Amino acid sequence: MQLHTIDKALYRKRLNILIAISIAVLLLTSLGVSNILIDFFGSEVDGDNFWWNLIGVASGLAVISALFKAMVGKPFMAEVNYVRGLKREMNRIYRSSKKLQTALEANDKNAIIISYFNLQASKQVYQLDNNTLTMDELNTKIELLDDKIEQLGLVISVEDYHSDLLKQLSIE
């Protein structure tokens, strides 16, 4: 996975549209299906229609899943898919963080590349998601890693990263 420049305004606009559509589809499908099931099979005596409502919500989730699966390759989804893939890759790295930290302390070049990519990817995601609360802490981590890279005389860029580096470190 490589970092790409994406238009923040376009990403936020499309993400907001997807969220609004998801809420509307979930609401309409869940209520519609559960009301139909309650009308046909519901109990008016004890009023316990929990399972029919649960089936309605599950059907709403199934419809949303099917819609997203059908839309995943469309140009409209490009920015959202990119950020989703980036977050997935960052999660893979996070799951290996203890072993990665050990390799980083040993000045392992692959660990430095992975950490550099992870910090730069985090910065991009934070900026896209307007996460300003932890940006100062992240910038400090980036500066510390940049200093370490300079001290070791390495030349590292985000383009050096590929997911096989996790396997090469035996940290996945």
Side-chain angles (χ1 to χ4, degrees), residues 114-158:
I114 293 166
S115 295
Y116 187 81
F117 172 83
N118 191 48
L119 291 172
Q120 297 300 325
S122 296
K123 185 175 182 175
Q124 184 179 31
V125 169
Y126 286 9
Q127 289 170 340
L128 290 171
D129 288 341
N130 292 326
N131 181 356
T132 58
L133 293 175
T134 56
M135 191 62 87
D136 290 338
E137 179 184 340
L138 180 65
N139 285 330
T140 302
K141 288 180 181 180
I142 290 171
E143 288 173 15
L144 289 172
L145 186 60
D146 285 342
D147 290 344
K148 183 174 193 159
I149 291 169
E150 187 178 323
Q151 289 172 358
L152 294 171
L154 299 172
V155 177
I156 305 288
S157 73
V158 291

Side-chain angles (χ1 to χ4, degrees), residues 5-23 68 71-84 128-130:
T5 303
I6 62 171
D7 182 5
K8 179 180 177 177
L10 183 62
Y11 164 72
R12 295 301 305 171
K13 178 182 176 186
R14 290 180 176 179
L15 182 63
N16 289 339
I17 290 170
L18 289 171
I19 290 170
I21 289 170
S22 297
I23 291 169
F68 281 143
M71 291 176 52
V72 76
K74 305 293 184 204
F76 179 83
M77 295 286 289
E79 292 81 11
V80 175
N81 286 335
Y82 166 74
V83 173
R84 197 173 114 235
L128 290 171
D129 288 341
N130 292 326

